[in-house]
Amino acid sequence: MNAATKLLEAMRNPRDWRIEQLQTVARQLGMAVRCEGGSHPVFSHEVVADMLSVPAHRPIKPVYVRRFVALVDKVKESQA
């Protein structure tokens, strides 16, 4: 089990996460992270039509972490 998988499993408890941790998981899973100078990185993947914009405030609100985990789960299902 690699670090990204461990982080993703820990994110199922959506409290006290930083944007850097979400970016680490996304990049390890091949997701695109777009943040062109703004305060809201956008996560996407070519196999899923959904995109997610997450405010980079600390800590990230649990609703955004839940949505991120759901997006990652969709990506993993599409790749399987």
Side-chain angles (χ1 to χ4, degrees), residues 33-42:
V33 180
R34 186 183 67 208
C35 48
E36 293 132 5
S39 63
H40 288 65
V42 178

Side-chain angles (χ1 to χ4, degrees), residues 14 16-19 22 54-62 64-65:
D16 300 322
W17 293 99
R18 295 186 325 265
I19 199 68
L22 271 65
V54 179
H57 305 288
R58 291 184 189 167
I60 299 171
K61 291 185 179 180
Y64 293 109
V65 176

Side-chain angles (χ1 to χ4, degrees), residues 23-69:
Q23 290 173 336
T24 298
V25 170
R27 288 191 176 112
Q28 288 289 323
L29 297 173
M31 296 176 68
V33 180
R34 186 183 67 208
C35 48
E36 293 132 5
S39 63
H40 288 65
V42 178
F43 299 94
S44 62
H45 196 279
E46 59 193 23
V47 298
V48 182
D50 300 336
M51 294 188 329
L52 176 65
S53 175
V54 179
H57 305 288
R58 291 184 189 167
I60 299 171
K61 291 185 179 180
V63 65
Y64 293 109
V65 176
R66 281 189 219 106
R67 289 179 183 170
F68 176 77
V69 170

Side-chain angles (χ1 to χ4, degrees), residues 4-23:
T5 305
K6 288 179 184 178
L7 265 176
L8 180 62
E9 290 306 313
M11 282 181 190
R12 305 233 181 246
N13 176 8
R15 299 265 181 223
D16 300 322
W17 293 99
R18 295 186 325 265
I19 199 68
E20 295 84 11
Q21 293 167 311
L22 271 65
Q23 290 173 336

